[in-house]
Amino acid sequence: MRLTMRLPPDFAFQTAVCSHGFFVLAPNRWDPTRQALQTVVALDDVQAVVVDVRASRDGAKLNVVADSARAETADASRAAIRHAVRRMLRLDEDLSPFHRMCRRVPGHRAAARCRFGRLLRGASLFEDIVKVICTCNVTWRQTVRMVANLVDTFGVPCAGEPGQRGFPTPQRLAGISAAELRRRCSLGYRGDYIAELADRVAGGELNLDVLADATRPTDTLARELRQIRGVGDYAAAHLCMLLGRYERLAVDTEMVRFVEQRTGRRPSPAALRRMYNHWHPYEFLAYWWELWTGYTDRHGPSHEWTVAGVGRRITQ
DNA sequence: TTCCAGGGGTAGA
DNA sequence: TCTACCCATGGA
């Protein structure tokens, strides 16, 4: 099955895929030689499909190739794949106001030139929440392993492709005990949080569509995200970013270290907010550009260092 | 063996 | 609102 998707004029494919660590988290994979994003999209709770995404030569559209889609439900499969790709690459977002701000700041002009800002996310908000929980208080390498374990063990299978699975849906994880998630996926105490989240979403108690509603205030969204067990200030801010709200800084050890290295002083969360408040409402993107471009300058393209992880070890 | 990682929950003040 | 303590896991 082949699809084409028209791209917005300020879109850059590699920048969108490789500017955030999610491109190395299962079921995603980046092929630097072919400049292709390979992923697995769950069509429902029981069947997934391998998807290969590349930009056209002129950069005007995406060419999407999907294997194994069921012929009898081709229209539904097509819609599910389009929806997933559109969400992952944020094709509906308009970042031109952020790029206008960048053009006025010498250190950020390159961000506008390379159309930085569409940071890759998951095919669903459930996937994003689980992945963010898996980043908390572990090395990035462990995050990569935990997510791979979740997908390999409980992911949505592909017909005819036994080694390929899509990210597990809430329904697939619901009813699996926290102890089993811990044991089979090395999630540690995060297994409790993920088991509870899956049960609440699958049971209808927690409606993630409400959280994804772009018309609601960011403060309300952040407060509701904090109600999810396992989601604190850092995770809520990061999830706000993944939902297209960039005004909250996700303060973690990485950000504190980054600013401490530049200023020589350990910043408080309030000081960090003051440093970036002139970028409102794009505080997170301004910070992320500085962090990411700094790593890329020192260590080369992100696909060469992202699996091993950003942070202390690579910067030493 | 000890420390710590892209923190979070809970209790107590 | 702040602090102290605990929470699994695995690499250095």
Side-chain angles (χ1 to χ4, degrees):
Chain A
M1 176 185 291
R2 292 174 183 274
L3 309 170
T4 59
M5 299 175 72
R6 192 188 302 275
L7 289 171
D10 63 344
F11 185 90
F13 184 54
Q14 183 179 2
T15 304
V17 174
C18 298
S19 299
H20 186 267
F22 275 18
F23 77 97
V24 299
L25 296 185
N28 299 332
R29 198 166 70 81
W30 173 251
D31 182 339
T33 307
R34 295 180 57 248
Q35 293 281 292
L37 172 67
Q38 291 161 350
T39 189
V40 183
V41 173
L43 301 176
D44 50 35
D45 296 326
V46 295
Q47 185 159 342
V49 59
V50 177
V51 172
D52 181 278
V53 186
R54 298 175 75 186
S56 62
R57 230 178 259 279
D58 61 3
K61 62 181 191 292
L62 288 179
N63 293 317
V64 182
V65 179
D67 296 334
S68 311
R70 295 166 293 187
E72 70 274 18
T73 56
D75 287 346
S77 300
R78 210 177 279 270
I81 293 165
R82 276 186 189 281
H83 182 266
V85 172
R86 182 166 289 282
R87 183 180 195 280
M88 291 173 73
L89 293 169
R90 304 176 186 254
L91 299 188
D92 295 325
E93 283 191 33
D94 176 16
L95 291 177
S96 52
F98 171 61
H99 292 153
R100 277 197 295 277
M101 294 171 82
C102 288
R103 288 188 196 99
R104 295 196 293 267
V105 180
H108 288 70
R109 280 183 192 138
R113 276 200 301 277
C114 70
R115 302 161 184 173
F116 175 87
R118 284 190 173 80
L119 308 183
L120 185 74
R121 55 185 176 180
S124 71
L125 178 54
F126 176 74
E127 178 178 336
D128 286 341
I129 298 173
V130 171
K131 285 179 172 175
V132 169
I133 288 175
C134 287
T135 66
C136 291
N137 200 28
V138 286
T139 58
W140 178 253
R141 194 192 299 264
Q142 267 181 278
T143 299
V144 172
R145 187 175 302 126
M146 285 181 206
V147 174
N149 290 342
L150 271 169
V151 171
D152 291 346
T153 311
F154 299 108
V156 183
C158 295
E161 306 244 16
Q164 303 276 9
R165 287 178 179 266
F167 197 84
T169 60
Q171 286 73 19
R172 287 184 74 85
L173 291 182
I176 295 169
S177 71
E180 186 173 1
L181 282 177
R182 286 179 181 227
R183 182 173 56 79
R184 300 184 68 182
C185 302
S186 299
L187 293 172
Y189 57 85
R190 297 161 203 82
D192 301 43
Y193 303 149
I194 292 169
E196 180 178 319
L197 173 67
D199 286 344
R200 290 183 65 200
V201 174
E205 181 194 334
L206 178 61
N207 183 353
L208 297 184
D209 291 338
V210 173
L211 295 180
D213 180 352
T215 64
R216 302 168 72 239
T218 301
D219 284 349
T220 305
L221 170 63
R223 199 164 45 245
E224 290 172 355
L225 287 167
R226 290 281 277 104
Q227 301 297 312
I228 299 171
R229 282 219 321 141
V231 175
D233 285 338
Y234 160 79
H238 204 98
L239 285 163
C240 282
M241 179 281 286
L242 289 169
L243 286 164
R245 321 292 187 97
Y246 301 106
E247 63 260 49
R248 286 180 174 253
L249 292 172
V251 178
D252 56 13
T253 56
E254 188 61 29
M255 181 173 202
V256 171
R257 185 184 307 121
F258 171 72
V259 173
E260 188 176 11
Q261 282 173 349
R262 292 177 57 171
T263 64
R265 200 183 311 174
R266 192 172 184 82
S268 66
L272 289 170
R273 280 192 286 275
R274 282 196 300 275
M275 286 178 64
Y276 287 93
N277 64 9
H278 61 286
W279 283 99
H280 187 76
Y282 296 105
E283 289 90 330
F284 186 103
L285 286 182
Y287 154 67
W288 198 255
W289 165 256
E290 294 171 14
L291 177 79
W292 201 262
T293 198
Y295 281 128
T296 306
D297 286 348
R298 286 196 294 278
H299 307 292
S302 58
H303 61 80
E304 293 180 3
W305 50 264
T306 305
V307 176
V310 297
R312 162 177 298 228
R313 292 183 182 80
I314 202 162
T315 55
Q316 277 178 338

